[in-house]
Structure formats: structure tokens, C-alpha cells
Amino acid sequence: MDPTFDQPPVIERVIGVQFSELNFFTNAHAGWFWKSFLDSEWTHVNEAPKIEDRFERFDSQMRGRTLPPFRVMTEPPAERHQIIRKSDDRMLQIQNTRFLLNWRKKEDQPYLDYEEMFKEFVQYLELFKSFVAEASDEELNLNQWEITYINHINKGELWNTIDEWKSVFPFLSFPKLKSSEGRIQTMDSKWAITLTEDIGRLYITLKHALSGGPEGPEIILLDMTSRGSINETMSFEQGLSVGHSAIVNTFADITSENAHKQWRRIS
């Protein structure tokens, strides 16, 4: 059984899939999907830069790789559209190669576990498939799954100085400074972990940050993203399950028992 927490430091979770480019898709189609396939609770739309395609490739898959073909653009490329629910706790992101669902923590709402969010994601993905079928003769050819957990660990809860990060992440080590006046001021680390049998990769970013801008409180930002291929042996459902398990087990492995008590570990 994967570890679970009653009050984890997760402030956002993103579940998504990448697919072969939908040639018909324009910004107008994003509005069509929003108004015709979503209910009135989805009230706001933002435009954002398109997320570039990402593929997890391993040694055997790199051979024979070619550059993408040159294309002449006859109209501006479609952007990424962020469709936000009135309660601001959900966001759908769509572009011509991606479909994402974000859950964002709100103080007055309970933590949403992965299983419930996954059910919602499947529901909205099916709506998007219906939209694609109605709007064109193209199909969604899924090629990558992706899941992200964003964690904020606030200063004053489990740590006050950078040196005290080890009370949260016991594996960390810091350079020994000869000067008694010296101290670690900030930190930024990244790791990439290959998942078993080259199913995908887990990317971990751990850094010192300010929440909400330059005047915000100090936090430890822990970003964990799993990503891998969708193919004849790995469905998006299986991939997301593997990615979720990799994230939550690694999170439990790299954090301390004292932190687990703070976050009320259940299993």
C-alpha cells in the first residue's frame, strides 16, 4: 500500500496527458470546448504560453531519432488555455497537444486524494475526446502521461534556517564552512530518477523560495513530476498509477519521521 497523509504539504497536483498534434485545433476551438462541453461552474479562461512536447526516451529509443519536420505556419499557433472553476480549486488546461487537470488547495476545503482526482480527470478527458470527435475527423493519439505534486513547507513549521532542512530531509548534506561567521543562505537541487524497467522518470526539484512573490513568506519548494510513454504495453491509466506511486513513495522515503508526524501519516 502506498503511504498516505492526512495533512500533507501538497498545495497543487496536476494530472495530464500529451498527444499527437491536433491539426484542426485553434484558439476558437478552445472556446467551443469551454462553452459547449463544460458546465457553468467553469467561469474564467486565461491564455498562457504553449507547453512544449516532452518525451521520456531511453538508450534503445534514441537510435534513429530524427528532427521534427519543417512547417510553414499559415496562422498563429494555438496557445494553452487555462479554464478555471468558480471555486478556483480546479483548472483544466488544453492545447493542441496536451490536456491537464490541476487541483489547487484551498483553506476551506479538504485535501483531495489521488483516486478522486483521477476519476475527475478521466471524466473531463472523455468530454474532450467527445469534443474532438464532434469538431474534426481526428482522434486523440496519446503518447505521454504526466503527474506533478507541488509541496510548500513553510518556514517556522519544521525549520527556521537552511541548516535545519535536514530535520525534514535527512539525506541532505551541506558544505562545512571554516569560518564561524559563514552560513548557508539558500539552496537549489535537482534530481532525475529512472523508474523500473524504463517506464519513465521521476524529476525532483528541492529549493528555497518565496511563496507568492518577492514579499511572500519563505518556503521549501518540493516539486515532484513523473512522466512516461503511453504505448501498446502502457496505458495512460497504468502510467499515471505508476507515476503517482513513485512520487508518494519517494516523498515518504526522503522525508523524516518527525515531518510525517506533522503531516499526520496514516499508512
Side-chain angles (χ1 to χ4, degrees):
M1 178 182 293
D2 291 333
T4 57
F5 297 84
D6 187 48
Q7 294 181 348
V10 182
I11 60 111
E12 188 165 5
R13 185 195 292 121
V14 188
I15 297 177
V17 289
Q18 178 180 282
F19 41 84
S20 300
E21 182 177 352
L22 296 173
N23 295 301
F24 78 91
F25 194 86
T26 65
N27 293 338
H29 287 98
W32 179 358
F33 173 71
W34 172 35
K35 287 300 185 181
S36 299
F37 287 82
L38 300 177
D39 62 39
S40 59
E41 287 296 304
W42 299 87
T43 54
H44 298 84
V45 173
N46 296 327
E47 289 187 1
K50 183 178 177 180
I51 301 173
E52 294 301 317
D53 289 355
R54 296 167 184 163
F55 295 93
E56 294 305 314
R57 292 186 172 90
F58 299 89
D59 289 344
S60 62
Q61 298 167 315
M62 294 298 290
R63 290 192 291 271
R65 183 181 176 187
T66 59
L67 295 173
F70 174 77
R71 298 181 60 189
V72 177
M73 303 300 296
T74 58
E75 59 182 58
E79 300 294 322
R80 173 166 47 111
H81 286 75
Q82 300 173 323
I83 308 173
I84 303 168
R85 203 157 75 173
K86 184 177 181 180
S87 56
D88 198 39
D89 62 339
R90 303 287 196 285
M91 177 170 64
L92 287 170
Q93 302 191 72
I94 58 174
Q95 64 180 48
N96 59 0
T97 59
R98 280 181 180 263
F99 186 88
L100 307 165
L101 173 64
N102 296 51
W103 166 80
R104 301 189 284 201
K105 181 181 179 181
K106 296 297 173 183
E107 293 299 329
D108 59 343
Q109 297 180 9
Y111 176 72
L112 180 69
D113 64 31
Y114 169 76
E115 288 74 18
E116 289 301 313
M117 184 175 173
F118 176 75
K119 291 177 183 177
E120 290 187 18
F121 174 75
V122 171
Q123 171 191 343
Y124 290 117
L125 181 60
E126 288 301 316
L127 287 179
F128 190 69
K129 287 180 179 178
S130 297
F131 157 73
V132 171
E134 181 175 317
S136 73
D137 58 0
E138 297 184 52
E139 295 182 357
L140 279 187
N141 295 313
L142 307 182
N143 54 43
Q144 291 276 293
W145 54 266
E146 183 173 297
I147 179 168
T148 295
Y149 277 63
I150 301 172
N151 302 271
H152 284 186
I153 305 169
N154 297 322
K155 182 179 180 179
E157 293 180 358
L158 290 163
W159 67 282
N160 286 290
T161 66
I162 299 293
D163 291 340
E164 293 175 343
W165 280 28
K166 289 189 289 186
S167 66
V168 185
F169 302 97
F171 71 93
L172 288 178
S173 62
F174 299 96
K176 296 184 182 301
L177 304 177
K178 294 180 179 179
S179 170
S180 60
E181 300 297 323
R183 65 185 180 88
I184 305 297
Q185 183 177 7
T186 190
M187 181 177 175
D188 187 344
S189 299
K190 296 182 180 182
W191 299 271
I193 301 170
T194 300
L195 303 183
T196 304
E197 298 181 356
D198 292 348
I199 291 173
R201 289 188 178 89
L202 169 60
Y203 295 91
I204 302 174
T205 299
L206 179 67
K207 66 181 180 179
H208 189 206
L210 298 175
S211 177
E215 303 300 321
E218 292 181 56
I219 62 168
I220 298 173
L221 172 63
L222 174 62
D223 184 309
M224 306 182 75
T225 296
S226 281
R227 185 187 307 120
S229 296
I230 298 170
N231 50 46
E232 61 277 1
T233 61
M234 180 65 63
S235 67
F236 83 86
E237 295 95 337
Q238 293 171 317
L240 287 170
S241 178
V242 168
H244 166 258
S245 184
I247 288 174
V248 298
N249 279 283
T250 303
F251 174 83
D253 288 344
I254 66 176
T255 52
S256 67
E257 291 186 8
N258 185 49
H260 295 177
K261 292 177 182 178
Q262 175 81 12
W263 302 325
R264 298 173 58 178
R265 182 170 179 173
I266 300 170
S267 62

PDB file of all heavy atoms in Angstrom, residues 68-100:
ATOM      1  N   PRO A  68      12.176  17.136 -35.922  1.00  0.00           N
ATOM      2  CA  PRO A  68      10.824  17.341 -36.430  1.00  0.00           C
ATOM      3  C   PRO A  68      10.844  18.033 -37.778  1.00  0.00           C
ATOM      4  O   PRO A  68      11.761  18.799 -38.085  1.00  0.00           O
ATOM      5  CB  PRO A  68      10.187  18.241 -35.350  1.00  0.00           C
ATOM      6  CG  PRO A  68      11.338  18.903 -34.674  1.00  0.00           C
ATOM      7  CD  PRO A  68      12.454  17.914 -34.705  1.00  0.00           C
ATOM      8  N   PRO A  69       9.864  17.765 -38.623  1.00  0.00           N
ATOM      9  CA  PRO A  69       9.851  18.372 -39.959  1.00  0.00           C
ATOM     10  C   PRO A  69       9.614  19.870 -39.901  1.00  0.00           C
ATOM     11  O   PRO A  69       8.966  20.379 -38.993  1.00  0.00           O
ATOM     12  CB  PRO A  69       8.681  17.647 -40.648  1.00  0.00           C
ATOM     13  CG  PRO A  69       7.785  17.233 -39.519  1.00  0.00           C
ATOM     14  CD  PRO A  69       8.695  16.891 -38.387  1.00  0.00           C
ATOM     15  N   PHE A  70      10.146  20.558 -40.910  1.00  0.00           N
ATOM     16  CA  PHE A  70       9.912  21.994 -41.040  1.00  0.00           C
ATOM     17  C   PHE A  70       8.471  22.229 -41.473  1.00  0.00           C
ATOM     18  O   PHE A  70       7.940  21.539 -42.326  1.00  0.00           O
ATOM     19  CB  PHE A  70      10.873  22.578 -42.080  1.00  0.00           C
ATOM     20  CG  PHE A  70      10.618  24.025 -42.381  1.00  0.00           C
ATOM     21  CD1 PHE A  70      11.020  25.007 -41.501  1.00  0.00           C
ATOM     22  CD2 PHE A  70       9.952  24.399 -43.546  1.00  0.00           C
ATOM     23  CE1 PHE A  70      10.792  26.352 -41.774  1.00  0.00           C
ATOM     24  CE2 PHE A  70       9.711  25.728 -43.830  1.00  0.00           C
ATOM     25  CZ  PHE A  70      10.128  26.710 -42.944  1.00  0.00           C
ATOM     26  N   ARG A  71       7.809  23.235 -40.823  1.00  0.00           N
ATOM     27  CA  ARG A  71       6.418  23.517 -41.155  1.00  0.00           C
ATOM     28  C   ARG A  71       6.257  24.997 -41.447  1.00  0.00           C
ATOM     29  O   ARG A  71       6.824  25.843 -40.753  1.00  0.00           O
ATOM     30  CB  ARG A  71       5.486  23.129 -39.992  1.00  0.00           C
ATOM     31  CG  ARG A  71       5.519  21.653 -39.648  1.00  0.00           C
ATOM     32  CD  ARG A  71       4.571  21.348 -38.514  1.00  0.00           C
ATOM     33  NE  ARG A  71       3.206  21.694 -38.889  1.00  0.00           N
ATOM     34  CZ  ARG A  71       2.188  21.701 -38.023  1.00  0.00           C
ATOM     35  NH1 ARG A  71       2.384  21.394 -36.777  1.00  0.00           N
ATOM     36  NH2 ARG A  71       0.977  22.004 -38.431  1.00  0.00           N
ATOM     37  N   VAL A  72       5.474  25.311 -42.457  1.00  0.00           N
ATOM     38  CA  VAL A  72       5.141  26.694 -42.775  1.00  0.00           C
ATOM     39  C   VAL A  72       3.828  27.030 -42.081  1.00  0.00           C
ATOM     40  O   VAL A  72       2.806  26.377 -42.310  1.00  0.00           O
ATOM     41  CB  VAL A  72       5.004  26.899 -44.305  1.00  0.00           C
ATOM     42  CG1 VAL A  72       4.581  28.332 -44.600  1.00  0.00           C
ATOM     43  CG2 VAL A  72       6.317  26.566 -45.004  1.00  0.00           C
ATOM     44  N   MET A  73       3.868  28.030 -41.190  1.00  0.00           N
ATOM     45  CA  MET A  73       2.671  28.410 -40.437  1.00  0.00           C
ATOM     46  C   MET A  73       1.830  29.379 -41.253  1.00  0.00           C
ATOM     47  O   MET A  73       2.319  30.412 -41.700  1.00  0.00           O
ATOM     48  CB  MET A  73       3.073  29.053 -39.102  1.00  0.00           C
ATOM     49  CG  MET A  73       3.953  28.158 -38.213  1.00  0.00           C
ATOM     50  SD  MET A  73       3.154  26.605 -37.762  1.00  0.00           S
ATOM     51  CE  MET A  73       1.791  27.230 -36.787  1.00  0.00           C
ATOM     52  N   THR A  74       0.567  29.056 -41.470  1.00  0.00           N
ATOM     53  CA  THR A  74      -0.347  29.917 -42.208  1.00  0.00           C
ATOM     54  C   THR A  74      -1.221  30.755 -41.278  1.00  0.00           C
ATOM     55  O   THR A  74      -1.921  31.642 -41.728  1.00  0.00           O
ATOM     56  CB  THR A  74      -1.255  29.071 -43.111  1.00  0.00           C
ATOM     57  OG1 THR A  74      -1.972  28.128 -42.299  1.00  0.00           O
ATOM     58  CG2 THR A  74      -0.419  28.324 -44.144  1.00  0.00           C
ATOM     59  N   GLU A  75      -1.184  30.451 -39.973  1.00  0.00           N
ATOM     60  CA  GLU A  75      -1.943  31.218 -38.991  1.00  0.00           C
ATOM     61  C   GLU A  75      -1.238  31.096 -37.648  1.00  0.00           C
ATOM     62  O   GLU A  75      -0.403  30.213 -37.454  1.00  0.00           O
ATOM     63  CB  GLU A  75      -3.381  30.701 -38.878  1.00  0.00           C
ATOM     64  CG  GLU A  75      -3.478  29.242 -38.469  1.00  0.00           C
ATOM     65  CD  GLU A  75      -4.919  28.774 -38.432  1.00  0.00           C
ATOM     66  OE1 GLU A  75      -5.601  28.865 -39.460  1.00  0.00           O
ATOM     67  OE2 GLU A  75      -5.345  28.321 -37.357  1.00  0.00           O
ATOM     68  N   PRO A  76      -1.519  32.024 -36.703  1.00  0.00           N
ATOM     69  CA  PRO A  76      -0.849  31.968 -35.408  1.00  0.00           C
ATOM     70  C   PRO A  76      -1.115  30.625 -34.717  1.00  0.00           C
ATOM     71  O   PRO A  76      -2.222  30.081 -34.797  1.00  0.00           O
ATOM     72  CB  PRO A  76      -1.501  33.122 -34.629  1.00  0.00           C
ATOM     73  CG  PRO A  76      -2.034  34.037 -35.675  1.00  0.00           C
ATOM     74  CD  PRO A  76      -2.451  33.150 -36.812  1.00  0.00           C
ATOM     75  N   PRO A  77      -0.094  30.060 -34.060  1.00  0.00           N
ATOM     76  CA  PRO A  77      -0.295  28.783 -33.376  1.00  0.00           C
ATOM     77  C   PRO A  77      -1.248  28.918 -32.190  1.00  0.00           C
ATOM     78  O   PRO A  77      -1.353  29.982 -31.580  1.00  0.00           O
ATOM     79  CB  PRO A  77       1.114  28.426 -32.904  1.00  0.00           C
ATOM     80  CG  PRO A  77       1.820  29.748 -32.775  1.00  0.00           C
ATOM     81  CD  PRO A  77       1.259  30.588 -33.885  1.00  0.00           C
ATOM     82  N   ALA A  78      -1.958  27.847 -31.883  1.00  0.00           N
ATOM     83  CA  ALA A  78      -2.863  27.847 -30.742  1.00  0.00           C
ATOM     84  C   ALA A  78      -2.066  27.950 -29.455  1.00  0.00           C
ATOM     85  O   ALA A  78      -0.989  27.374 -29.321  1.00  0.00           O
ATOM     86  CB  ALA A  78      -3.707  26.581 -30.739  1.00  0.00           C
ATOM     87  N   GLU A  79      -2.604  28.686 -28.507  1.00  0.00           N
ATOM     88  CA  GLU A  79      -1.966  28.825 -27.209  1.00  0.00           C
ATOM     89  C   GLU A  79      -2.518  27.764 -26.255  1.00  0.00           C
ATOM     90  O   GLU A  79      -3.342  26.939 -26.619  1.00  0.00           O
ATOM     91  CB  GLU A  79      -2.232  30.230 -26.653  1.00  0.00           C
ATOM     92  CG  GLU A  79      -1.707  31.353 -27.511  1.00  0.00           C
ATOM     93  CD  GLU A  79      -0.185  31.348 -27.582  1.00  0.00           C
ATOM     94  OE1 GLU A  79       0.455  31.054 -26.557  1.00  0.00           O
ATOM     95  OE2 GLU A  79       0.348  31.619 -28.673  1.00  0.00           O
ATOM     96  N   ARG A  80      -2.037  27.808 -25.019  1.00  0.00           N
ATOM     97  CA  ARG A  80      -2.605  26.978 -23.957  1.00  0.00           C
ATOM     98  C   ARG A  80      -3.683  27.782 -23.254  1.00  0.00           C
ATOM     99  O   ARG A  80      -3.491  28.951 -22.916  1.00  0.00           O
ATOM    100  CB  ARG A  80      -1.496  26.578 -22.973  1.00  0.00           C
ATOM    101  CG  ARG A  80      -1.984  25.864 -21.727  1.00  0.00           C
ATOM    102  CD  ARG A  80      -0.815  25.219 -20.997  1.00  0.00           C
ATOM    103  NE  ARG A  80       0.305  26.119 -20.843  1.00  0.00           N
ATOM    104  CZ  ARG A  80       0.707  26.631 -19.662  1.00  0.00           C
ATOM    105  NH1 ARG A  80       0.053  26.335 -18.540  1.00  0.00           N
ATOM    106  NH2 ARG A  80       1.753  27.433 -19.610  1.00  0.00           N
ATOM    107  N   HIS A  81      -4.824  27.165 -23.052  1.00  0.00           N
ATOM    108  CA  HIS A  81      -5.939  27.825 -22.380  1.00  0.00           C
ATOM    109  C   HIS A  81      -6.161  27.191 -21.017  1.00  0.00           C
ATOM    110  O   HIS A  81      -6.250  25.965 -20.895  1.00  0.00           O
ATOM    111  CB  HIS A  81      -7.210  27.748 -23.224  1.00  0.00           C
ATOM    112  CG  HIS A  81      -7.178  28.663 -24.410  1.00  0.00           C
ATOM    113  ND1 HIS A  81      -6.436  28.393 -25.533  1.00  0.00           N
ATOM    114  CD2 HIS A  81      -7.779  29.865 -24.621  1.00  0.00           C
ATOM    115  CE1 HIS A  81      -6.585  29.389 -26.406  1.00  0.00           C
ATOM    116  NE2 HIS A  81      -7.388  30.276 -25.881  1.00  0.00           N
ATOM    117  N   GLN A  82      -6.246  28.041 -20.005  1.00  0.00           N
ATOM    118  CA  GLN A  82      -6.487  27.616 -18.633  1.00  0.00           C
ATOM    119  C   GLN A  82      -7.926  27.973 -18.267  1.00  0.00           C
ATOM    120  O   GLN A  82      -8.270  29.144 -18.136  1.00  0.00           O
ATOM    121  CB  GLN A  82      -5.507  28.306 -17.685  1.00  0.00           C
ATOM    122  CG  GLN A  82      -4.051  28.007 -18.005  1.00  0.00           C
ATOM    123  CD  GLN A  82      -3.082  28.830 -17.174  1.00  0.00           C
ATOM    124  OE1 GLN A  82      -3.333  29.991 -16.880  1.00  0.00           O
ATOM    125  NE2 GLN A  82      -1.968  28.225 -16.795  1.00  0.00           N
ATOM    126  N   ILE A  83      -8.752  26.948 -18.145  1.00  0.00           N
ATOM    127  CA  ILE A  83     -10.166  27.138 -17.837  1.00  0.00           C
ATOM    128  C   ILE A  83     -10.354  26.871 -16.349  1.00  0.00           C
ATOM    129  O   ILE A  83     -10.094  25.761 -15.871  1.00  0.00           O
ATOM    130  CB  ILE A  83     -11.044  26.201 -18.678  1.00  0.00           C
ATOM    131  CG1 ILE A  83     -10.689  26.329 -20.165  1.00  0.00           C
ATOM    132  CG2 ILE A  83     -12.524  26.494 -18.451  1.00  0.00           C
ATOM    133  CD1 ILE A  83     -11.390  25.322 -21.059  1.00  0.00           C
ATOM    134  N   ILE A  84     -10.801  27.881 -15.609  1.00  0.00           N
ATOM    135  CA  ILE A  84     -10.776  27.843 -14.149  1.00  0.00           C
ATOM    136  C   ILE A  84     -12.192  27.780 -13.588  1.00  0.00           C
ATOM    137  O   ILE A  84     -13.090  28.517 -14.027  1.00  0.00           O
ATOM    138  CB  ILE A  84     -10.049  29.080 -13.596  1.00  0.00           C
ATOM    139  CG1 ILE A  84      -8.629  29.145 -14.194  1.00  0.00           C
ATOM    140  CG2 ILE A  84      -9.989  29.045 -12.070  1.00  0.00           C
ATOM    141  CD1 ILE A  84      -7.937  30.455 -13.959  1.00  0.00           C
ATOM    142  N   ARG A  85     -12.382  26.902 -12.615  1.00  0.00           N
ATOM    143  CA  ARG A  85     -13.684  26.773 -11.976  1.00  0.00           C
ATOM    144  C   ARG A  85     -13.912  27.932 -11.003  1.00  0.00           C
ATOM    145  O   ARG A  85     -12.961  28.510 -10.475  1.00  0.00           O
ATOM    146  CB  ARG A  85     -13.778  25.433 -11.230  1.00  0.00           C
ATOM    147  CG  ARG A  85     -15.217  24.973 -11.029  1.00  0.00           C
ATOM    148  CD  ARG A  85     -15.304  23.485 -10.825  1.00  0.00           C
ATOM    149  NE  ARG A  85     -14.863  23.080  -9.494  1.00  0.00           N
ATOM    150  CZ  ARG A  85     -14.974  21.846  -9.029  1.00  0.00           C
ATOM    151  NH1 ARG A  85     -15.512  20.897  -9.798  1.00  0.00           N
ATOM    152  NH2 ARG A  85     -14.542  21.524  -7.837  1.00  0.00           N
ATOM    153  N   LYS A  86     -15.166  28.274 -10.807  1.00  0.00           N
ATOM    154  CA  LYS A  86     -15.531  29.421  -9.983  1.00  0.00           C
ATOM    155  C   LYS A  86     -14.917  29.335  -8.596  1.00  0.00           C
ATOM    156  O   LYS A  86     -14.496  30.353  -8.014  1.00  0.00           O
ATOM    157  CB  LYS A  86     -17.062  29.511  -9.884  1.00  0.00           C
ATOM    158  CG  LYS A  86     -17.588  30.718  -9.134  1.00  0.00           C
ATOM    159  CD  LYS A  86     -19.105  30.735  -9.161  1.00  0.00           C
ATOM    160  CE  LYS A  86     -19.647  31.957  -8.434  1.00  0.00           C
ATOM    161  NZ  LYS A  86     -21.136  31.979  -8.452  1.00  0.00           N
ATOM    162  N   SER A  87     -14.842  28.134  -8.037  1.00  0.00           N
ATOM    163  CA  SER A  87     -14.272  27.932  -6.699  1.00  0.00           C
ATOM    164  C   SER A  87     -12.759  28.065  -6.674  1.00  0.00           C
ATOM    165  O   SER A  87     -12.154  28.067  -5.591  1.00  0.00           O
ATOM    166  CB  SER A  87     -14.668  26.549  -6.178  1.00  0.00           C
ATOM    167  OG  SER A  87     -14.257  25.537  -7.083  1.00  0.00           O
ATOM    168  N   ASP A  88     -12.112  28.142  -7.846  1.00  0.00           N
ATOM    169  CA  ASP A  88     -10.673  28.330  -8.017  1.00  0.00           C
ATOM    170  C   ASP A  88      -9.845  27.143  -7.524  1.00  0.00           C
ATOM    171  O   ASP A  88      -8.632  27.247  -7.389  1.00  0.00           O
ATOM    172  CB  ASP A  88     -10.206  29.608  -7.300  1.00  0.00           C
ATOM    173  CG  ASP A  88      -8.856  30.091  -7.800  1.00  0.00           C
ATOM    174  OD1 ASP A  88      -8.617  30.009  -9.017  1.00  0.00           O
ATOM    175  OD2 ASP A  88      -8.034  30.510  -6.975  1.00  0.00           O
ATOM    176  N   ASP A  89     -10.476  26.006  -7.265  1.00  0.00           N
ATOM    177  CA  ASP A  89      -9.739  24.829  -6.809  1.00  0.00           C
ATOM    178  C   ASP A  89      -9.458  23.837  -7.935  1.00  0.00           C
ATOM    179  O   ASP A  89      -8.756  22.840  -7.733  1.00  0.00           O
ATOM    180  CB  ASP A  89     -10.481  24.125  -5.677  1.00  0.00           C
ATOM    181  CG  ASP A  89     -11.850  23.610  -6.116  1.00  0.00           C
ATOM    182  OD1 ASP A  89     -12.392  24.123  -7.126  1.00  0.00           O
ATOM    183  OD2 ASP A  89     -12.378  22.708  -5.450  1.00  0.00           O
ATOM    184  N   ARG A  90     -10.003  24.074  -9.119  1.00  0.00           N
ATOM    185  CA  ARG A  90      -9.766  23.222 -10.278  1.00  0.00           C
ATOM    186  C   ARG A  90      -9.432  24.094 -11.478  1.00  0.00           C
ATOM    187  O   ARG A  90      -9.988  25.181 -11.659  1.00  0.00           O
ATOM    188  CB  ARG A  90     -10.992  22.375 -10.644  1.00  0.00           C
ATOM    189  CG  ARG A  90     -11.534  21.480  -9.563  1.00  0.00           C
ATOM    190  CD  ARG A  90     -10.650  20.273  -9.311  1.00  0.00           C
ATOM    191  NE  ARG A  90     -11.376  19.264  -8.559  1.00  0.00           N
ATOM    192  CZ  ARG A  90     -11.650  19.337  -7.255  1.00  0.00           C
ATOM    193  NH1 ARG A  90     -11.294  20.393  -6.556  1.00  0.00           N
ATOM    194  NH2 ARG A  90     -12.299  18.351  -6.647  1.00  0.00           N
ATOM    195  N   MET A  91      -8.546  23.555 -12.322  1.00  0.00           N
ATOM    196  CA  MET A  91      -8.215  24.232 -13.568  1.00  0.00           C
ATOM    197  C   MET A  91      -7.958  23.179 -14.640  1.00  0.00           C
ATOM    198  O   MET A  91      -7.185  22.243 -14.421  1.00  0.00           O
ATOM    199  CB  MET A  91      -6.978  25.120 -13.408  1.00  0.00           C
ATOM    200  CG  MET A  91      -6.534  25.807 -14.706  1.00  0.00           C
ATOM    201  SD  MET A  91      -5.261  27.084 -14.442  1.00  0.00           S
ATOM    202  CE  MET A  91      -3.893  26.096 -13.831  1.00  0.00           C
ATOM    203  N   LEU A  92      -8.621  23.317 -15.773  1.00  0.00           N
ATOM    204  CA  LEU A  92      -8.349  22.500 -16.941  1.00  0.00           C
ATOM    205  C   LEU A  92      -7.441  23.286 -17.870  1.00  0.00           C
ATOM    206  O   LEU A  92      -7.674  24.480 -18.117  1.00  0.00           O
ATOM    207  CB  LEU A  92      -9.649  22.144 -17.670  1.00  0.00           C
ATOM    208  CG  LEU A  92     -10.558  21.118 -17.000  1.00  0.00           C
ATOM    209  CD1 LEU A  92     -11.902  21.062 -17.717  1.00  0.00           C
ATOM    210  CD2 LEU A  92      -9.910  19.734 -16.986  1.00  0.00           C
ATOM    211  N   GLN A  93      -6.407  22.637 -18.386  1.00  0.00           N
ATOM    212  CA  GLN A  93      -5.503  23.272 -19.329  1.00  0.00           C
ATOM    213  C   GLN A  93      -5.514  22.475 -20.627  1.00  0.00           C
ATOM    214  O   GLN A  93      -5.286  21.267 -20.615  1.00  0.00           O
ATOM    215  CB  GLN A  93      -4.085  23.339 -18.766  1.00  0.00           C
ATOM    216  CG  GLN A  93      -3.996  24.078 -17.439  1.00  0.00           C
ATOM    217  CD  GLN A  93      -2.565  24.352 -17.042  1.00  0.00           C
ATOM    218  OE1 GLN A  93      -1.878  25.189 -17.631  1.00  0.00           O
ATOM    219  NE2 GLN A  93      -2.098  23.649 -16.037  1.00  0.00           N
ATOM    220  N   ILE A  94      -5.787  23.173 -21.726  1.00  0.00           N
ATOM    221  CA  ILE A  94      -5.865  22.489 -23.017  1.00  0.00           C
ATOM    222  C   ILE A  94      -5.043  23.238 -24.060  1.00  0.00           C
ATOM    223  O   ILE A  94      -4.974  24.464 -24.062  1.00  0.00           O
ATOM    224  CB  ILE A  94      -7.327  22.334 -23.503  1.00  0.00           C
ATOM    225  CG1 ILE A  94      -8.017  23.699 -23.613  1.00  0.00           C
ATOM    226  CG2 ILE A  94      -8.104  21.405 -22.595  1.00  0.00           C
ATOM    227  CD1 ILE A  94      -9.406  23.623 -24.229  1.00  0.00           C
ATOM    228  N   GLN A  95      -4.406  22.474 -24.918  1.00  0.00           N
ATOM    229  CA  GLN A  95      -3.730  22.993 -26.101  1.00  0.00           C
ATOM    230  C   GLN A  95      -3.769  21.892 -27.145  1.00  0.00           C
ATOM    231  O   GLN A  95      -4.341  20.825 -26.908  1.00  0.00           O
ATOM    232  CB  GLN A  95      -2.293  23.417 -25.767  1.00  0.00           C
ATOM    233  CG  GLN A  95      -1.394  22.280 -25.337  1.00  0.00           C
ATOM    234  CD  GLN A  95       0.022  22.735 -25.002  1.00  0.00           C
ATOM    235  OE1 GLN A  95       0.218  23.707 -24.272  1.00  0.00           O
ATOM    236  NE2 GLN A  95       1.019  22.045 -25.529  1.00  0.00           N
ATOM    237  N   ASN A  96      -3.166  22.128 -28.294  1.00  0.00           N
ATOM    238  CA  ASN A  96      -3.311  21.150 -29.375  1.00  0.00           C
ATOM    239  C   ASN A  96      -2.499  19.875 -29.178  1.00  0.00           C
ATOM    240  O   ASN A  96      -2.574  18.956 -29.985  1.00  0.00           O
ATOM    241  CB  ASN A  96      -2.984  21.778 -30.730  1.00  0.00           C
ATOM    242  CG  ASN A  96      -1.573  22.344 -30.799  1.00  0.00           C
ATOM    243  OD1 ASN A  96      -0.806  22.290 -29.845  1.00  0.00           O
ATOM    244  ND2 ASN A  96      -1.243  22.911 -31.954  1.00  0.00           N
ATOM    245  N   THR A  97      -1.734  19.789 -28.078  1.00  0.00           N
ATOM    246  CA  THR A  97      -1.004  18.555 -27.781  1.00  0.00           C
ATOM    247  C   THR A  97      -1.103  18.132 -26.311  1.00  0.00           C
ATOM    248  O   THR A  97      -0.432  17.179 -25.915  1.00  0.00           O
ATOM    249  CB  THR A  97       0.500  18.697 -28.119  1.00  0.00           C
ATOM    250  OG1 THR A  97       1.045  19.790 -27.353  1.00  0.00           O
ATOM    251  CG2 THR A  97       0.723  18.927 -29.606  1.00  0.00           C
ATOM    252  N   ARG A  98      -1.941  18.801 -25.518  1.00  0.00           N
ATOM    253  CA  ARG A  98      -1.992  18.473 -24.084  1.00  0.00           C
ATOM    254  C   ARG A  98      -3.381  18.677 -23.501  1.00  0.00           C
ATOM    255  O   ARG A  98      -4.131  19.565 -23.923  1.00  0.00           O
ATOM    256  CB  ARG A  98      -1.007  19.338 -23.284  1.00  0.00           C
ATOM    257  CG  ARG A  98       0.423  18.845 -23.367  1.00  0.00           C
ATOM    258  CD  ARG A  98       1.332  19.730 -22.535  1.00  0.00           C
ATOM    259  NE  ARG A  98       2.690  19.261 -22.616  1.00  0.00           N
ATOM    260  CZ  ARG A  98       3.287  18.477 -21.732  1.00  0.00           C
ATOM    261  NH1 ARG A  98       2.622  18.081 -20.669  1.00  0.00           N
ATOM    262  NH2 ARG A  98       4.537  18.089 -21.886  1.00  0.00           N
ATOM    263  N   PHE A  99      -3.640  17.862 -22.466  1.00  0.00           N
ATOM    264  CA  PHE A  99      -4.852  18.019 -21.672  1.00  0.00           C
ATOM    265  C   PHE A  99      -4.473  17.771 -20.221  1.00  0.00           C
ATOM    266  O   PHE A  99      -3.957  16.702 -19.883  1.00  0.00           O
ATOM    267  CB  PHE A  99      -5.930  17.027 -22.112  1.00  0.00           C
ATOM    268  CG  PHE A  99      -7.250  17.222 -21.429  1.00  0.00           C
ATOM    269  CD1 PHE A  99      -8.196  18.090 -21.949  1.00  0.00           C
ATOM    270  CD2 PHE A  99      -7.548  16.549 -20.244  1.00  0.00           C
ATOM    271  CE1 PHE A  99      -9.417  18.284 -21.322  1.00  0.00           C
ATOM    272  CE2 PHE A  99      -8.766  16.735 -19.607  1.00  0.00           C
ATOM    273  CZ  PHE A  99      -9.701  17.607 -20.147  1.00  0.00           C
ATOM    274  N   LEU A 100      -4.711  18.774 -19.354  1.00  0.00           N
ATOM    275  CA  LEU A 100      -4.274  18.722 -17.961  1.00  0.00           C
ATOM    276  C   LEU A 100      -5.411  19.121 -17.026  1.00  0.00           C
ATOM    277  O   LEU A 100      -6.230  19.980 -17.358  1.00  0.00           O
ATOM    278  CB  LEU A 100      -3.109  19.688 -17.722  1.00  0.00           C
ATOM    279  CG  LEU A 100      -1.888  19.581 -18.634  1.00  0.00           C
ATOM    280  CD1 LEU A 100      -1.015  20.822 -18.499  1.00  0.00           C
ATOM    281  CD2 LEU A 100      -1.085  18.341 -18.286  1.00  0.00           C
TER     282      LEU A 100
END
